[in-house]
Amino acid sequence: MTATDAGLFTEIDHVAIAVRDLDAAIAWYREAFGATVDHREVVEHDGVEEALLKVADSYVQLLTPTRDDSPVAKYLAAKGEGLHHVGYRVADCAAALDAAKATGVKAIDAAPRPGSRGTTVAFLHPKTAFGTLIELVQE
Ligand code: CO
């Protein structure tokens, strides 16, 4: 495990923003900031399509549901568009998940699973994380 001032976090991997219209959001980021899409992917397991805009070594992840029963669809219905979760990069997702759970953090994923871009990820519940959905991301 790499020990840094940020503990198990090595980088902010991405800030995820839930949007209703992915193409409109991409166009807005391009027009307002000149940001362009570095990677675009449908993640069937989560029922989402994402577009990653690179910001230094991190990403802004624009996220839209691909089906009505996906968690992001429910989120949009309940809370509207906006900040959805923060992805923190870690060296070892399983070790970081275990370390968090050992301190009483509630995990959504019992074990790490495949994320987009070939990453390995695990989500932590906002209930024990001061209201923020946290994703641990191992590249
Ligand atoms: Co994410």
Side-chain angles (χ1 to χ4, degrees):
M1 200 76 345
T2 313
T4 69
D5 289 340
L8 297 176
F9 298 156
T10 61
E11 194 86 54
I12 291 180
D13 187 81
H14 61 277
V15 172
I17 298 163
V19 301
R20 292 198 175 87
D21 184 335
L22 190 58
D23 288 318
I26 290 167
W28 185 84
Y29 272 87
R30 187 189 308 118
E31 195 176 316
F33 306 112
T36 56
V37 174
D38 189 72
H39 180 83
R40 190 164 172 162
E41 182 173 341
V42 172
V43 184
E44 285 297 344
H45 175 276
D46 295 323
V48 297
E49 181 171 8
E50 67 173 47
L52 294 173
L53 315 176
K54 208 159 177 24
V55 182
D57 288 330
S58 304
Y59 298 97
V60 171
Q61 180 187 68
L62 303 173
L63 207 51
T64 202
T66 55
R67 52 174 196 263
D68 290 343
D69 66 344
S70 87
V72 173
K74 288 172 189 160
Y75 181 91
L76 282 171
K79 300 194 173 172
E81 294 178 303
L83 190 61
H84 184 262
H85 66 271
V86 178
Y88 293 102
R89 211 169 287 156
V90 295
D92 183 333
C93 188
L97 178 62
D98 285 345
K101 284 199 288 191
T103 68
V105 174
K106 187 179 172 195
I108 293 173
D109 295 303
R113 60 183 178 82
S116 67
R117 293 186 290 131
T119 57
T120 301
V121 304
F123 280 90
L124 304 176
H125 204 286
K127 239 170 214 164
T128 53
F130 291 86
T132 302
L133 177 60
I134 289 178
E135 180 180 10
L136 303 172
V137 183
Q138 178 186 342
E139 289 195 303

